[in-house]
Amino acid sequence: MLKLHDAASSLQETVKSLTQRVVQDKKKEEEKTCPHRIKQTKNRKTIIINCRECEAGSSLNDPHCRKNIFGILQKEIHADCLVLSRLYERDYEGESLSLLYALAGFKGTIAAYRSIETVPEPCTRQEKRKCELERKEIIDFL
């Protein structure tokens, strides 16, 4: 009976430790995203990303910035304007912002396919070609 109690206690400690790590990891991930705010007026929503304290390029050409911008756009839907605010402000609106939203949506969609296994090269089964074609069609559709 004592061993069962010790095992249960040990299991509880392990679960508690893992839970704390998950919470800490989530907080770290949130800290990695760019600080931003929403400016809402009567008929206009603007996302303003504060790039002043960031060492990254404050540009869509920078992979770190692009990842964070797409993440923000996936969370903050239907904005009329996106502003990257540093020394100078870069505004994206209209067709440019629509394209950024489309790219952010594509990033979210394609991420779901990240774990799909490709057909291994040494595969000699007759179905290999069919699998390759199906995968190509899915990727082309995306």
Side-chain angles (χ1 to χ4, degrees):
M1 185 70 163
L2 186 58
K3 287 182 182 180
L4 183 60
H5 182 274
D6 290 343
S9 178
S10 176
L11 183 61
Q12 286 176 337
E13 288 299 318
T14 302
V15 169
K16 184 177 178 181
S17 174
L18 288 172
T19 303
Q20 288 173 344
R21 263 191 254 157
V22 168
V23 169
Q24 289 171 349
D25 289 347
K26 187 168 181 152
K27 285 181 182 179
K28 286 179 185 176
E29 185 65 32
E30 288 173 359
E31 290 171 4
K32 289 180 186 177
T33 60
C34 298
H36 65 283
R37 65 185 174 91
I38 306 299
K39 182 179 177 184
Q40 183 79 44
T41 61
K42 188 175 183 179
N43 51 359
R44 188 168 169 89
K45 179 179 177 181
T46 303
I47 301 170
I48 303 169
I49 302 176
N50 180 5
C51 302
R52 289 182 184 98
E53 299 170 17
C54 183
E55 295 177 13
S58 180
S59 163
L60 288 168
N61 293 331
D62 184 286
H64 174 76
C65 295
R66 191 171 46 248
K67 177 184 174 222
N68 284 326
I69 290 167
F70 287 167
I72 291 168
L73 290 176
Q74 288 172 341
K75 292 176 188 170
E76 303 293 343
I77 301 171
H78 302 299
D80 300 297
C81 183
L82 170 70
V83 178
L84 303 182
S85 179
R86 197 171 191 149
L87 183 58
Y88 299 101
E89 290 189 346
R90 291 190 187 118
D91 295 8
Y92 298 91
E93 49 192 321
E95 190 175 329
S96 298
L97 185 57
S98 294
L99 181 59
L100 288 175
Y101 269 115
L103 289 170
F106 175 74
K107 179 187 175 278
T109 300
I110 199 74
Y113 291 95
R114 184 179 310 163
S115 63
I116 289 180
E117 290 186 32
T118 58
V119 179
E121 288 301 320
C123 179
T124 57
R125 301 176 85 189
Q126 285 184 327
E127 300 90 38
K128 177 182 178 184
R129 184 72 181 139
K130 183 180 177 189
C131 292
E132 287 175 333
L133 291 173
E134 282 182 38
R135 181 174 173 81
K136 185 180 180 328
E137 286 175 359
I138 290 170
I139 297 301
D140 288 345
F141 173 76
L142 294 174

